[in-house]
Amino acid sequence: VQLQASGGGFVQAGGSLRLSCAASGRTLSRNNMGWFRQVPGKERDLVAAFSWDYVSTYYSDSVKGRFTISRDNAKNMVDLQMNNLKPEDTAVYYCAASADWAGSLTSDYRYWGHGTQVTVSS
């Protein structure tokens, strides 16, 4: 599986960005999909995830109510709509796919795309 993230950029606080992740190589219909972010010197953290069966979503407390994850298995894509962005959202964002049929939304991510930088100015 190859994952390609796009849509990052520079935005002022309060603004919005939409990240997209396109997959190739095989279908992602049996994989949970997640968006992670990482700042220098810190661990990569999960911010949002969507289960393979469209049943469940996960949001970290820091983004709940502001970010929305969506997926389209037919198009092999997953997006992250980010609204009301804050300077603390500044990070490199990565999309990831879980192992097949993974039961947890917060672990067992096996496939990673290259990151896309999001910078939010105050």
Side-chain angles (χ1 to χ4, degrees):
V1 176
Q2 291 80 46
L3 302 175
Q4 181 65 49
S6 61
F10 184 92
V11 65
Q12 290 188 332
S16 298
L17 283 174
R18 188 177 185 90
L19 305 183
S20 292
C21 178
S24 60
R26 46 157 279 192
T27 178
L28 292 177
S29 60
R30 52 185 184 265
N31 305 92
N32 299 332
M33 296 298 298
W35 283 96
F36 291 73
R37 67 186 182 189
Q38 188 172 26
V39 297
K42 293 192 175 182
E43 294 185 353
R44 192 173 297 184
D45 293 326
L46 178 66
V47 296
F50 209 142
S51 64
W52 60 269
D53 57 4
Y54 287 92
V55 171
S56 305
T57 56
Y58 164 87
Y59 295 96
S60 67
D61 288 342
S62 61
V63 308
K64 203 170 292 184
R66 301 186 297 120
F67 290 13
T68 303
I69 189 171
S70 60
R71 67 183 294 166
D72 187 332
N73 286 352
K75 295 181 179 179
N76 243 17
M77 293 191 66
V78 60
D79 290 350
L80 185 68
Q81 177 66 42
M82 307 185 294
N83 297 329
N84 191 22
L85 283 160
K86 304 176 181 180
E88 51 264 42
D89 294 319
T90 296
V92 178
Y93 284 71
Y94 300 86
C95 65
S98 73
D100 290 358
W101 319 119
S104 170
L105 281 176
T106 59
S107 63
D108 206 12
Y109 284 87
R110 303 282 182 89
Y111 310 100
W112 296 85
H114 296 293
T116 184
Q117 176 72 45
V118 171
T119 304
V120 185
S121 67
S122 58

